[in-house]
Amino acid sequence: TTSSPNSVLLESEKTTGKTQTLTYVLSSRESDGQVQSNRLTLTLKQAKEATYGYLLVKAPQLSPYPH
């Protein structure tokens, strides 16, 4: 089954010290035309040695949306 991205929305952003948690809602259209939405949560930490200034400190979490 193939899907194509439909939209990416930043749902929330929380900063605690040098750790930042970002939550996105991702929507994609499946090959049968149905739209599927998921929530992606990323936890990052500021790091000077990182190419873009942040390192992923937890495994990304993917969960159904809107639940």
Side-chain angles (χ1 to χ4, degrees), residues 11 22-26 38-42 60-63:
E11 182 181 40
L22 303 169
T23 303
Y24 293 91
V25 175
L26 313 172
N38 289 295
R39 179 179 280 126
L40 174 65
T41 302
L42 303 170
Q61 295 179 351
L62 192 62
S63 59

Side-chain angles (χ1 to χ4, degrees), residues 1-66:
T1 305
T2 59
S3 64
S4 54
N6 203 26
S7 67
V8 177
L9 302 170
L10 178 62
E11 182 181 40
S12 67
E13 175 184 6
K14 181 181 176 186
T15 302
T16 306
K18 291 186 177 184
T19 302
Q20 189 172 27
T21 302
L22 303 169
T23 303
Y24 293 91
V25 175
L26 313 172
S27 293
S28 58
R29 186 170 305 279
E30 303 299 319
S31 57
D32 62 2
Q34 196 171 18
V35 175
Q36 181 178 353
S37 296
N38 289 295
R39 179 179 280 126
L40 174 65
T41 302
L42 303 170
T43 303
L44 310 167
K45 187 173 183 179
Q46 289 181 348
K48 290 180 183 179
E49 69 276 9
T51 303
Y52 296 104
Y54 291 90
L55 291 175
L56 195 61
V57 294
K58 283 187 180 178
Q61 295 179 351
L62 192 62
S63 59
Y65 179 83

